[in-house]
Amino acid sequence: MSKITGGCLCGEVKFEVSNDFSQFHLCHCAQCQKITGSAHAANLFCQSDHITWLSGTDKTKRFDYPNRYFARVFCTECGTGVPYLVNKGKTLIVPAGSLELDEDTVLNVAPQDNIFWHERAPWYDAALDAPTFAGFPK
Ligand SMILES: [Zn+2]
Ligand SMILES: [Zn+2]
């Protein structure tokens, strides 16, 4: 099973995870918008023993949202969302953006759905139609 490396933006937190994911959901719920500061979360799911932490676990903090099955673990230095356990420790959720992917790395799953679609940001439909640029706009 091939391994994919991942980590946070500042470099404190590093891990390796098997490219053997069971689910890949884009979540547009109001809580995911708030906690990512963006349109949606992009969460991969896998078995909890598929990760090897390489550094920085002492630099992470967990936030559990009250009254709902929802959590976030992030680097206390840079705020990047990093993998965390749910389902009584049986399942690992890996924020897709925390993975270091290049053109040669193909995830074993593609995004399978957009969930909580009715809660999506009111500007999201327009964003899908916006022009693209390789870098900053000209
Ligand atoms: Zn960091
Ligand atoms: Zn969500």
Side-chain angles (χ1 to χ4, degrees), residues 86-122:
V86 295
N87 189 25
K88 297 192 175 108
K90 284 184 253 170
T91 305
L92 185 78
I93 296 185
V94 180
S98 70
L99 295 175
E100 278 140 31
L101 301 173
D102 54 39
E103 302 113 43
D104 299 327
T105 314
V106 180
L107 289 174
N108 78 304
V109 288
Q112 62 195 88
D113 48 28
N114 288 274
I115 62 174
F116 287 87
W117 186 245
H118 69 289
E119 291 183 28
R120 71 187 181 281

Side-chain angles (χ1 to χ4, degrees), residues 63-90:
F63 168 74
D64 283 285
Y65 187 66
N67 310 320
R68 208 197 122 188
Y69 175 67
F70 183 87
R72 177 91 165 168
V73 174
F74 56 95
C75 171
T76 53
E77 192 65 30
C78 69
T80 300
V82 298
Y84 59 97
L85 294 169
V86 295
N87 189 25
K88 297 192 175 108
K90 284 184 253 170

Side-chain angles (χ1 to χ4, degrees), residues 12-66:
E12 289 279 356
V13 183
K14 289 191 171 76
F15 60 88
E16 226 173 42
V17 64
S18 302
N19 189 6
D20 186 21
F21 299 101
S22 57
Q23 301 173 53
F24 190 178
H25 301 286
L26 306 184
C27 185
H28 295 258
C29 81
Q31 289 81 19
C32 282
Q33 287 179 49
K34 188 67 87 178
I35 214 153
T36 61
S38 189
H40 59 75
N43 288 328
L44 291 150
F45 289 62
C46 69
Q47 288 176 38
S48 56
D49 58 356
H50 284 189
I51 191 165
T52 305
W53 291 98
L54 303 174
S55 70
T57 47
D58 59 323
K59 291 277 182 355
T60 62
K61 187 175 186 335
R62 184 182 179 107
F63 168 74
D64 283 285
Y65 187 66

